[in-house]
């Protein structure tokens, strides 16, 4: 009997950014294989007063790795190609740069695609689950969670420009300070700054704006739906529709890639496939992988 896998909590950041610093990084563990990394720079604000948020990403997933690798030539020529992205599990990282203190985000680039021509810029938003640590007029302090339920990570986010209706509803839900108030949230424009804490150690402060809330749970109990928790209609986190047709261009492209994969890459492709394909398309992709694996096995035994 298989043991049940622990539940995993996602903290997802989506938007449009510019790619640079594509490079392999090898971990310190003995025998570790290099992983692909890149930097994604996200513009915040109008062109004349634009600020930037940088996210150093480990690139995950066969198709995402392929896309970022395909941009190496353009980056080497000094271009920073634009991508629409989904980055998981971001956290702040502070460091010294000469006499300056700086900070950036780190995370996992789990999905990327090239934006269509004249496509509107995708909103820079972060969504997930968080505990409410404090509520004041126009501000809310959150502790966002991510990772497996038996080893959860917490990311502190200070949210400003919170609508009065949202903060008031959280105050009403949070009757006792001992209560654990969990929310499904979305925030905009997440940013990180370096700070110095006790004994001169470096840390980060993460800020965001415009808290939106989909639901509230107090001590595990859902707040009744008649109680307003947001002044926005909040959709589920972005999830592109799965491809279902076996002859879709994406499936034909997958077939070409599988034809050159090794056994390790096939395993990665099979793990990624259920999130990309469904129905007959999923069967087709798995069929390509099984056929390629059979060819590899035959080659090793002959």
């Amino acid at each position: 009997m298989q043991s049940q896998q622990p539940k995993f909590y996602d903290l997802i950041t989506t938007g449009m950014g510019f790619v640079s610093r594509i490079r392999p990084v090898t971990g310190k563990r003995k025998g570790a294989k290099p992983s692909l990394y890149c930097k994604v720079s996200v513009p915040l604000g109008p062109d004349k007063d634009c600020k930037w948020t940088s996210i150093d990403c480990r690139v995950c997933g066969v198709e995402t790795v392929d896309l970022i690798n395909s941009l190496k030539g353009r980056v080497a020529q000094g271009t920073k190609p634009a991508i629409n992205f989904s980055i998981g599990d971001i956290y702040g990282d502070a460091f010294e740069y000469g006499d300056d203190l700086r900070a950036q985000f780190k995370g996992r680039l789990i999905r990327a695609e090239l934006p269509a021509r004249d496509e509107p810029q995708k909103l820079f938003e972060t969504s997930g689950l968080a505990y409410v640590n404090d509520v004041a007029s126009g501000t809310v302090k959150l502790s966002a969670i991510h990772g497996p339920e038996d080893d959860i990570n917490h990311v502190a986010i200070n949210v400003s420009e919170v609508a009065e209706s949202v903060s008031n509803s959280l105050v009403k839900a949070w009757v006792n300070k001992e209560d654990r108030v969990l929310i499904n949230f979305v925030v905009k424009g997440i940013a990180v700054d370096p700070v110095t804490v006790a004994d001169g150690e470096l840390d980060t402060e993460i800020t965001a704006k415009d808290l939106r809330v989909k639901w509230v749970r107090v001590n595990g109990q859902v707040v009744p739906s008649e109680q307003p928790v947001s002044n926005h209609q909040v959709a589920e986190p972005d999830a592109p529709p799965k491809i279902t047709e076996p002859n879709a261009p994406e499936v034909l492209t997958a077939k070409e890639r599988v034809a050159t994969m090794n056994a390790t890459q096939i395993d990665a492709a099979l793990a990624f496939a259920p999130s990309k394909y469904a129905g007959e398309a999923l069967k087709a992709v798995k069929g390509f992988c099984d056929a390629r694996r059979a060819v590899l096995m035959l080659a090793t035994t002959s």
Side-chain angles (χ1 to χ4, degrees), residues 26-252:
T26 302
K28 296 181 180 179
R29 189 174 58 185
K30 185 177 180 180
K33 296 182 179 179
S35 298
L36 186 66
Y37 279 72
C38 71
K39 178 180 176 181
V40 178
S41 299
V42 184
L44 301 177
D47 292 340
K48 293 183 179 180
D49 188 28
C50 184
K51 297 181 180 180
W52 295 83
T53 286
S54 295
I55 310 173
D56 194 50
C57 301
R58 179 184 178 187
V59 186
C60 301
V62 174
E63 295 198 358
T64 308
V65 169
D66 285 349
L67 175 61
I68 298 303
N69 271 327
S70 73
L71 301 177
K72 280 183 176 179
R74 295 169 60 183
V75 171
Q77 294 174 357
T79 301
K80 294 184 178 181
I83 60 169
N84 289 331
F85 62 79
S86 294
I87 296 174
D89 307 334
I90 64 169
Y91 63 95
D93 177 52
F95 57 94
E96 295 181 356
Y97 187 81
D99 295 331
D100 295 334
L101 299 182
R102 298 187 179 182
Q104 66 178 357
F105 284 115
K106 290 189 174 182
R108 299 180 300 113
L109 181 61
I110 55 179
R111 182 174 287 113
E113 59 183 13
L114 301 178
R117 181 174 295 181
D118 300 326
E119 178 182 347
Q121 181 173 330
K122 191 174 183 180
L123 290 177
F124 184 41
E125 297 185 327
T126 299
S127 60
L129 302 180
Y131 289 103
V132 178
N133 285 344
D134 192 20
V135 181
S137 178
T139 62
V140 176
K141 293 183 178 181
L142 301 177
S143 179
I145 61 176
H146 67 85
E149 60 182 348
D150 56 355
D151 188 24
I152 292 178
N153 296 299
H154 293 257
V155 179
I157 305 175
N158 297 330
V159 189
S160 62
E161 299 182 16
V162 178
E164 185 177 357
S165 60
V166 176
S167 58
N168 286 346
S169 65
L170 292 176
V171 169
K172 291 178 181 178
W174 200 8
V175 178
N176 299 310
K177 292 304 179 182
E178 295 77 16
D179 290 339
R180 292 171 62 83
V181 181
L182 181 69
I183 64 173
N184 187 328
F185 76 95
V186 181
V187 293
K188 293 181 180 179
I190 196 167
V192 62
D193 292 300
V195 295
T196 303
V197 294
D199 300 325
E201 292 186 5
L202 287 180
D203 201 351
T204 58
E205 180 181 48
I206 298 175
T207 58
K209 298 179 180 179
D210 186 27
L211 174 67
R212 292 169 283 159
V213 179
K214 182 176 181 181
W215 51 250
V216 177
R217 291 179 182 171
V218 180
N219 299 328
Q221 301 298 313
V222 178
V223 172
S225 58
E226 61 268 16
Q227 179 173 332
V229 295
S230 177
N231 63 336
H232 295 267
Q233 291 294 325
V234 181
E236 291 287 349
D238 291 342
K242 290 188 177 183
I243 298 159
T244 58
E245 296 298 325
N247 293 322
E250 293 86 351
V251 176
L252 300 179

